[in-house]
Amino acid sequence: MVHLNLNEKLALMILITSARAFNATNRRMMYSSRSSSKSFSAESLTLRSNSNSNSNSESANGASGSESRVSSLRKKRLKQEDLEPVEKDSSRVINGRDEMCGLLPDIEDSPSRTSKLNSYVKSTEASISASSIRTSGIPPQNWEKMLECIRKMTSSEEATVDPLNCDRTGSFLPPKERRFYVLIGTLLSSQTKDHVTGAAVERLRLNGLLTPEAIDKADESTIKELIYPVGFYTRKATNVKKVAKICLMRYDGDIPRSLEELLSLPGVGPKIAHLVLHIAWNDVQGICVDTHVHRICNRLGWVSKPGTKQKTSSPEETRVALQQWLPKEEWVAINFLLVGFGQKICTPLRPRCGVCSINELCPSAFKETPIKSSKLKKPIKSKKL
C-alpha cells in the first residue's frame, strides 16, 4: 500500500475536484447544444478545445483517467463539428425546395382542373379529324353479322324507331329556323322519351317560341310551363333562354357550325353536339353515343378501355373506342339501330335474350337476366277474436 504525505494528498484532492468540475461543465455544454437550435461553429469549438486542453494540462499531467474522458469528449465535439455543414446544407435544400415549389404550376392550372370542353376537344382532336377520319382499331369478330341481325330486328315489329320522328328535323321550316328548331328539340330530348319531347317542341311551336328572338323575349316561367314534363325542365328552360341569347349575339340568330362552339353552349354535351352537327349542318364528325349505345356496345364486347379488356365507363369513352374500328359509313346509322334495339330488346334491366337473334354471338347473353327472388310471401295469419 502506497503512503502519501500531506502535500501529495492535497494535490490529489485538487486534481479530482478539478476533473469533476470539468466533466460537469462539459455535460452542461452538451445538453445546451442539443436543446439549442444553433450549432457550434468550428472556430468556437477550436477555442474551447484549446482552453480545455490548457486547463487539463495545468490541473494535472498524471491523471490518465481524466485525460481519456477529455479525449472522448473532444471526439464527440469533433463529430458534432463535422455534422454542422450538413445541417447548413439541409437548410439550403429545404429553402431550394421552397423556391422550386414557387415555380411549379398551381393546382388550378393542372390538367385535372380543366373544363369539360377543353378535355373533350383534346380527346376529339386525338381520335378524329374534321377533314379526314380514319379507323385504325381492330374490329371485333362477327360485328358485321351482329349488326345486320340488329338491323333486321329494328325494322321488324319488335323494334321500330323512326329517325326523323326521333330527331324532329323540322324539314317544313326555312333552313335557318330549321337549324334552331333542331338545336332546341335535341336539347330538350336529353333524359326524355321521344313522345314527351315531341309534344313539348310542338307546344313551343304553336306558341310562336321556336325562334331565338321569340325565346329571348319570353319569360323563363312561360317556357318552363310549355316544355313540362320533359326531364329537368327547370334547368332546360334556363338553358334554352341562354342558348337563344348566344345565338342572337354571336351568330346572327343562327346556331354554331363547329363542334367546339356547340359544346360551349349551356346544356350541350358530346352526344347533342354531334347529333345537331349532323342533322342541322349535314356534318358527321363523330358517333352519337347515348345510354343505349354505351350499354349495348359493352354487352356485345365491341368496346373496351385502351390496352385492357375492361368495359368503358362513360358514353364518351365508348364513342372514342367505337370510332377506332367502325367504318364511317355506319356512324350515323349505328345510333338509330342501337337505340331501337335497346328500347325493345336489349333493355337495361330485363334484356330479352330469348327473342334476340344474336344471343349465340353475344358474350353477355343470358348473363344479366335477373334471378327471381326465392323469398316467398308469408301467409297472413288471421287473428283470433
Side-chain angles (χ1 to χ4, degrees):
M1 184 175 180
V2 180
H3 296 280
L4 300 176
N5 55 26
L6 182 61
N7 293 332
E8 290 175 344
K9 287 181 181 180
L10 291 174
L12 183 59
M13 290 177 64
I14 293 172
L15 178 62
I16 294 172
T17 304
S18 61
R20 289 177 179 175
F22 178 74
N23 292 334
T25 304
N26 287 332
R27 289 193 189 96
R28 286 194 296 270
M29 291 172 59
M30 291 179 64
Y31 178 80
S32 62
S33 64
R34 290 176 183 175
S35 61
S36 175
S37 60
K38 297 181 180 180
S39 61
F40 293 107
S41 64
E43 194 175 287
S44 61
L45 287 174
T46 305
L47 291 174
R48 286 173 186 171
S49 61
N50 291 334
S51 62
N52 290 335
S53 61
N54 292 333
S55 62
N56 186 29
S57 60
E58 289 175 0
S59 60
N61 294 324
S64 58
S66 61
E67 287 181 355
S68 60
R69 293 192 186 96
V70 172
S71 62
S72 62
L73 289 173
R74 286 179 180 174
K75 289 179 180 179
K76 290 181 180 180
R77 291 181 184 177
L78 289 175
K79 288 181 180 179
Q80 190 173 2
E81 183 180 356
D82 294 335
L83 290 174
E84 182 182 351
V86 176
E87 294 177 358
K88 291 181 179 179
D89 292 338
S90 63
S91 63
R92 292 173 186 169
V93 170
I94 294 172
N95 294 334
R97 189 182 302 159
D98 295 337
E99 293 174 2
M100 291 177 64
C101 290
L103 299 175
L104 293 176
D106 198 5
I107 295 177
E108 296 181 355
D109 299 332
S110 61
S112 61
R113 302 282 294 180
T114 54
S115 62
K116 293 181 180 179
L117 172 60
N118 293 335
S119 61
Y120 174 79
V121 170
K122 290 179 181 179
S123 65
T124 304
E125 291 175 352
S127 59
I128 61 175
S129 172
S131 57
S132 61
I133 306 175
R134 299 178 182 178
T135 55
S136 57
I138 300 175
Q141 294 181 355
N142 301 317
W143 74 270
E144 292 177 311
K145 185 177 180 180
M146 287 191 283
L147 190 61
E148 185 61 29
C149 291
I150 293 173
R151 187 175 281 111
K152 290 179 181 180
M153 285 187 286
T154 53
S155 62
S156 65
E157 296 180 355
E158 296 177 346
T160 55
V161 176
D162 184 7
L164 296 179
N165 186 38
C166 287
D167 296 321
R168 308 286 175 181
T169 58
S171 55
F172 54 90
L173 296 172
K176 190 174 181 179
E177 295 180 12
R178 183 185 70 85
R179 289 191 288 269
F180 187 78
Y181 179 95
V182 169
L183 176 60
I184 298 301
T186 309
L187 186 63
L188 296 179
S189 67
S190 175
Q191 307 270 335
T192 308
K193 293 183 178 181
D194 296 335
H195 68 277
V196 177
T197 302
V201 174
E202 184 65 15
R203 287 192 293 271
L204 290 175
R205 188 184 70 83
L206 293 176
N207 286 271
L209 294 176
L210 271 182
T211 61
E213 295 85 1
I215 291 179
D216 184 52
K217 293 178 182 178
D219 294 332
E220 187 174 320
S221 58
T222 302
I223 299 175
K224 189 194 307 182
E225 292 176 1
L226 291 175
I227 66 174
Y228 177 84
V230 299
F232 305 100
Y233 63 93
T234 301
R235 186 186 306 170
K236 288 179 179 179
T238 303
N239 290 336
V240 165
K241 286 278 293 181
K242 291 179 180 179
V243 167
K245 190 75 172 179
I246 293 172
C247 290
L248 283 174
M249 297 185 66
R250 298 183 185 177
Y251 306 101
D252 193 24
D254 210 338
I255 68 171
R257 187 158 191 164
S258 69
L259 184 64
E260 292 78 8
E261 289 175 321
L262 283 170
L263 286 168
S264 66
L265 296 178
V268 176
K271 176 211 167 185
I272 295 177
H274 282 292
L275 194 59
V276 171
L277 200 63
H278 163 56
I279 298 173
W281 297 107
N282 195 25
D283 185 8
V284 180
Q285 292 191 20
I287 301 174
C288 301
V289 178
D290 63 356
T291 179
H292 294 290
V293 179
H294 171 60
R295 180 184 68 256
I296 294 171
C297 285
N298 277 285
R299 283 179 175 176
L300 296 178
W302 283 3
V303 292
S304 62
K305 290 186 177 182
T308 66
K309 294 183 179 180
Q310 298 178 356
K311 293 182 178 181
T312 55
S313 56
S314 67
E316 179 58 17
E317 287 186 2
T318 299
R319 181 191 69 82
V320 174
L322 192 61
Q323 289 178 185
Q324 296 299 316
W325 60 268
L326 187 67
K328 189 180 177 182
E329 55 267 19
E330 298 287 355
W331 285 13
V332 176
I334 192 70
N335 177 267
F336 303 120
L337 290 175
L338 296 188
V339 167
F341 183 57
Q343 288 175 343
K344 299 297 182 180
I345 298 178
C346 196
T347 53
L349 297 179
R350 298 177 180 85
R352 302 171 60 197
C353 299
V355 299
C356 181
S357 60
I358 60 172
N359 54 20
E360 295 182 357
L361 301 174
C362 178
S364 303
F366 302 102
K367 293 182 180 180
E368 297 185 23
T369 303
I371 301 175
K372 294 183 180 180
S373 176
S374 59
K375 295 182 179 180
L376 299 176
K377 294 183 179 180
K378 295 181 180 180
I380 301 175
K381 296 181 180 180
S382 59
K383 297 182 180 180
K384 294 180 180 181
L385 298 176

